[in-house]
Amino acid sequence: MAALPLLVVWWWQRRRRANVWREVVDPHLLAHLLDRGDKVRGRLALVIGALGYALAVLALAGPSWRQVEQPSWQGQAPLMIALDLSSASLAADLPPSRLAQARAKLATLLRERKDGQVGLVAYAGAAFTVAPLTGDAANVALFLEALHPNVMPVDGQRSDRAIDWSARLLAQAGFQRGRILLLTDHADAAARKAAVSASARGYPVSVIGLGTAAGAPYRAADGTILNARLDADSLRQLAASA
């Protein structure tokens, strides 16, 4: 294929030499004696030959597509929200209840979150995925009104399991960096240990405290009346450790 242009030039020069009129007629008269149609046809043949050459080159090269990885820009790191849905979330020290206030705060957060993946975990004695990570925060907000301690199979406040589960979901989604937002009223040693582990994996834990220092009574799943209080110091320690 590379020799084709040289062959075309050779053919054109040979054609010019083959015309006997070029050997006996002065150049300034030649244009008036030669058939113009023959000249046009010759140029047309050359154009067609060149076009054929170009098409042949493209055909031999073959169409080629290469998928280029496009950078995915996100203004915010992915966020896993872990909400305490223990019986203590029904305490009324944040009127009308801690749960109602938590729903309102999360609704605002989700409404104002413009980009970045977000997911929701609910926990009591165990942690469960309410909404997996998604770029549509409005879809996560749809689940808020359905959240209630009655939907949890086991009562309790295992924040450590919620943190571990949230980190697991972030890792499964392929994120090496992200954040975990915990909403509860206290953090025990197990929760702080889980926060340290999550932070080491690239998922630091932030906290929103639920309740007041004075606290309020609530009825546990077994019917026992207990008092729930906000332990702000333990939550600060957890956030600092993460």
Side-chain angles (χ1 to χ4, degrees):
M1 293 301 296
L4 187 56
L6 297 178
L7 292 176
V8 171
V9 172
W10 173 82
W11 171 82
W12 181 253
Q13 294 295 335
R14 185 174 182 275
R15 183 174 179 275
R16 289 172 60 89
R17 288 194 300 270
N19 193 328
V20 296
W21 288 105
R22 299 184 185 280
E23 298 177 359
V24 298
V25 178
D26 291 337
H28 68 279
L29 297 176
L30 188 62
H32 300 283
L33 296 175
L34 291 179
D35 183 2
R36 293 181 180 274
D38 181 68
K39 184 177 181 180
V40 171
R41 286 191 297 271
R43 289 181 177 176
L44 181 61
L46 182 61
V47 171
I48 293 175
L51 180 60
Y53 170 74
L55 293 176
V57 171
L58 290 176
L60 289 176
S64 176
W65 291 270
R66 183 178 64 177
Q67 184 175 358
V68 179
E69 183 176 353
Q70 297 295 325
S72 178
W73 183 86
Q74 290 185 341
Q76 300 187 51
L79 174 68
M80 282 302 309
I81 301 169
L83 175 62
D84 183 346
L85 269 191
S86 65
S87 297
S89 66
L90 298 179
D93 50 347
L94 294 177
S97 70
R98 294 180 174 186
L99 178 57
Q101 290 286 349
R103 287 174 179 164
K105 288 182 180 295
L106 292 181
T108 299
L109 184 153
L110 294 171
R111 185 171 59 252
E112 295 182 354
R113 187 173 175 84
K114 301 304 181 183
D115 52 29
Q117 299 274 313
V118 61
L120 178 60
V121 166
Y123 75 95
F128 301 91
T129 303
V130 176
L133 284 162
T134 176
D136 190 350
N139 281 342
V140 180
L142 294 176
F143 295 99
L144 293 179
E145 289 303 318
L147 297 179
H148 192 277
N150 290 342
V151 305
M152 305 303 291
V154 182
D155 200 10
Q157 288 182 292
R158 293 298 302 271
S159 297
D160 57 319
R161 293 180 177 178
I163 295 170
D164 289 340
W165 188 254
S166 298
R168 178 181 176 181
L169 292 176
L170 286 164
Q172 287 180 345
F175 292 107
Q176 297 181 350
R177 293 288 184 272
R179 296 202 66 86
I180 298 171
L181 176 62
L182 183 70
L183 289 86
T184 188
D185 63 359
H186 77 282
D188 57 17
R192 291 193 293 273
K193 181 178 179 181
V196 170
S197 176
S199 181
R201 297 174 62 184
Y203 315 125
V205 182
S206 300
V207 182
I208 293 180
L210 298 179
T212 64
Y218 70 96
R219 186 182 298 274
D222 60 2
T224 305
I225 302 298
L226 301 174
N227 194 69
R229 288 194 296 268
L230 174 67
D231 185 353
D233 288 339
S234 67
L235 295 179
R236 291 192 188 96
Q237 291 176 18
L238 183 146
S241 64

